[in-house]
Every structure is written in structure tokens, then in C-alpha cells.
Amino acid sequence: MERAMPGRSGIGGRLLAGLTFAVALTVSLPAAMAQDATPAAKDAAPAAKDAAPAAKSDVPPLKIELNRLEPAGEACRTYMLVDNSRGPALKSLKVDLFAFDTEGVAQKRLAVELGPVQEKKTVVRLFDFAGLACPKIGRLLLNDVLGCEGGDATRETCLERIEPATKTSAAFDR
């Protein structure tokens, strides 16, 4: 049979023990946090920087789909679907595109204005790759965003938001 310690039995004793534990944590936690020069604290700082892009999920995606390629004389007419159904309006969205042939060799470079795109709207934009036959296009690369205007958008934030997709036999990526 166990003997009860004086002053530590029952609910009052457990409450006192819990309170003592909480005070000990409160006193030791600031001291541990003040030692940020420890290796563990140095390793935690880069992890916090890496965690920052998680806020990207707060930014709605801007889906750009290579929807169709069709011959147009000596050119390949390109249909690009810009899905801004969850984002703010963009006055301008100018992109730098490279068309690669089926062997992966760069063939044509084209700067294309895909804007304006209204808030929560999807639009289709057409443009031609002059002097390039559609069957020769094996891949379309979103090389860069040259300009992006609207709200607090920047070239960098627009590039981060873009999610490329394709409905054609040609790949489309960034």
C-alpha cells in the first residue's frame, strides 16, 4: 500500500503539481528561446524561409492552357485558354514563349499579350507562330513573364501563379 505525501493528495495536490509544472515551463521557455545561437536554432531559420512559399497557396492559380494548334497558311495558329476564374483582374499579361520541335530543338520565340483578363473570368487568346508547321511543335515553353499589371501583381508573382496545361499533343510547361 502506498503512503500519500502530506499536502499532495486529492484534487488540490494534483492541481498544485500541475501549476508547479506550468510555472517551470514558463520560466524555462524564454531562457531556451534566448539561446538562438544554438545549432538547432540556426537550422530552424532556413526551415522558416523554406516554409514562406507555403503562403503561395493563398494566391489563386492562373491556369494557362495550350488548348489547340491549327494550321493557318504558313503559320501555326495557337489557342491559349487563360483561366483567371479565382483571381483578380489583370490589365496586362505579356509572356515569352518558345516553341520546340519534336526533337527538342528551339524553333521560334514569341512575345504574346494574353491580357487583359477580367476578375474571375476565363478568356481564349489566339496568336500565330509564323513559318512553323503545327505538327513540328513538340513542346511550348513559358520562358518568362515579361509584364504583368493589375492590383498588386508583379512579373514574379504572376509567374509563380501560372499553372500551365495542355490539351494538345505538344507539351506546355514553364
Side-chain angles (χ1 to χ4, degrees):
M1 189 167 187
E2 293 183 35
R3 282 188 347 187
M5 299 283 291
R8 296 201 186 233
S9 63
I11 294 176
R14 286 184 288 223
L15 184 59
L16 181 60
L19 186 57
T20 304
F21 180 70
V23 169
L25 280 177
T26 306
V27 171
S28 63
L29 190 58
M33 290 173 64
Q35 298 177 356
D36 62 335
T38 64
K42 288 179 183 176
D43 292 342
K49 287 180 185 174
D50 293 341
K56 180 186 172 193
S57 63
D58 294 344
V59 178
L62 179 61
K63 297 177 183 177
I64 300 180
E65 177 185 276
L66 176 58
N67 186 269
R68 182 175 175 184
L69 298 173
E70 73 177 9
E74 296 290 317
C76 181
R77 178 148 303 142
T78 306
Y79 291 71
M80 198 69 78
L81 185 117
V82 182
D83 180 356
N84 192 35
S85 60
R86 294 177 27 210
L90 296 173
K91 293 177 190 173
S92 174
L93 175 61
K94 191 169 188 176
V95 296
D96 179 27
L97 300 173
F98 268 93
F100 291 80
D101 66 17
T102 53
E103 281 87 44
V105 178
Q107 296 296 311
K108 291 281 182 178
R109 181 179 187 188
L110 193 59
V112 179
E113 176 62 65
L114 298 176
V117 184
Q118 294 176 12
E119 178 178 7
K120 299 181 181 175
K121 179 82 172 101
T122 300
V123 296
V124 176
R125 301 289 186 230
L126 283 71
F127 54 90
D128 293 348
F129 277 102
L132 187 60
C134 293
K136 281 206 52 116
I137 298 177
R139 175 180 174 217
L140 194 62
L141 173 69
L142 174 66
N143 192 51
D144 202 357
V145 171
L146 301 173
C148 186
E149 297 175 26
D152 57 356
T154 65
R155 190 182 66 74
E156 293 81 12
T157 58
C158 282
L159 182 59
E160 289 174 15
R161 284 183 60 202
I162 292 175
E163 292 180 359
T166 186
K167 292 233 183 212
T168 72
S169 60
F172 178 48
D173 52 30
R174 61 184 190 134

